[in-house]
Amino acid sequence: MTDLLFMLGAGLLAGVVNALAGGGTLISFPALLALGYPSLTASVTNAVALWPGYLGGVLGYRAELRGQRRRAAALSITTVLGAGVGSALLLLTPGRLFESLVPWLVAFASLALLAQPWLRKLFGGEADGPPSKMVYAGVFLGGCYGAYFNGGMGVLLLTVLGMFLHDNLHRVNAVRATLALVISSVSVVAFSLFGPVQWQAVAVIAPASLAGGFLGTRLAKLMSAKVLRGVVVAFGLGVAVALALR
């Protein structure tokens, strides 16, 4: 019963954080590790379980996505290609290599979240200028990273989009939510067919993440993410250190 409540809480909080700005995997992935799942199993199970949360985030941003269908569709095609590459890399990578990379990936995702506001100011460019074609290279790499290791995927996507798309932050975040859903969808198909998914855990975390996705989009429109960013960064770096020392 305790494990069930632990997974429900992790799924709900991960869905909220993913809808706000990304980084929910830094909560749900360590939760699965704490329950004894091997690193690769925890990663693919987590990716499948959080898919409903990404769907909830997109549905919550319906109003902000109006007028952006062409932009979102063009970026989604590039993102699908990147997610396909990332999924293949994860499934073909030896388990020991992935386990050795996990602490560094968690630390990288946490630091990317910490640096997000600074990077946006540094690379923002002219507000009235056209978006750079580098945005496509950025979302391709974001797709690769997100499918290989979901942690911090939304953070990286929002950082890339914030650097190259000059628009209202909520509208940019809506595009980020769409691309995260695309990456997650590719991962779900690949991992369901070829990965060691633990469906019992998915059945618990998935509905909780869906509820969290809806809740997170509402909170994102009402609050600043500064405090949440600090908490997630501290949590993520702590997890990275703990994983490196185990």
Side-chain angles (χ1 to χ4, degrees):
M1 188 63 178
T2 301
D3 289 353
L4 176 65
L5 293 175
F6 184 61
M7 284 193 287
L8 281 172
L12 180 66
L13 189 55
V16 170
V17 173
N18 276 337
L20 282 169
T25 288
L26 297 178
I27 297 168
S28 52
F29 176 68
L32 289 171
L33 291 179
L35 292 173
Y37 292 99
S39 295
L40 181 60
T41 301
S43 183
V44 297
T45 300
N46 178 72
V48 174
L50 292 187
W51 183 87
Y54 291 116
L55 176 61
V58 171
L59 294 175
Y61 276 122
R62 289 192 303 272
E64 288 74 18
L65 283 170
R66 290 171 187 162
Q68 298 197 87
R69 290 183 180 179
R70 183 173 298 179
R71 170 195 283 178
L75 293 173
S76 293
I77 293 172
T78 305
T79 306
V80 166
L81 297 176
V85 172
S87 297
L89 285 174
L90 178 61
L91 293 173
L92 296 175
T93 297
R96 290 182 180 178
L97 176 59
F98 179 73
E99 290 185 4
S100 68
L101 290 175
V102 163
W104 300 102
L105 292 172
V106 173
F108 175 70
S110 302
L111 292 175
L113 178 58
L114 180 65
Q116 180 186 355
W118 177 76
L119 290 173
R120 185 181 296 119
K121 291 180 181 179
L122 183 64
F123 296 104
E126 297 295 330
D128 296 328
S132 169
K133 295 190 181 300
M134 287 295 294
V135 69
Y136 292 98
V139 298
F140 176 83
L141 293 176
C144 290
Y145 174 85
Y148 185 79
F149 182 66
N150 192 263
M153 169 181 67
V155 175
L156 295 180
L157 289 173
L158 188 57
T159 300
V160 169
L161 295 173
M163 286 191 294
F164 299 116
L165 300 182
H166 312 299
D167 206 335
N168 176 275
L169 180 59
H170 286 304
R171 283 169 54 82
V172 173
N173 207 21
V175 176
R176 187 274 311 165
T178 302
L179 299 185
L181 176 62
V182 169
I183 295 170
S184 180
S185 299
V186 174
S187 299
V188 165
V189 172
F191 299 157
S192 296
L193 293 175
F194 305 110
V197 177
Q198 294 297 308
W199 293 103
Q200 301 94 327
V202 171
V204 176
I205 297 174
S209 71
L210 176 60
F214 277 111
L215 178 60
T217 54
R218 294 190 177 186
L219 291 175
K221 300 174 185 180
L222 298 175
M223 62 175 284
S224 168
K226 287 184 179 179
V227 174
L228 179 64
R229 180 182 292 114
V231 171
V232 175
V233 167
F235 181 83
L237 291 177
V239 168
V241 172
L243 291 174
L245 295 176
R246 69 172 186 168

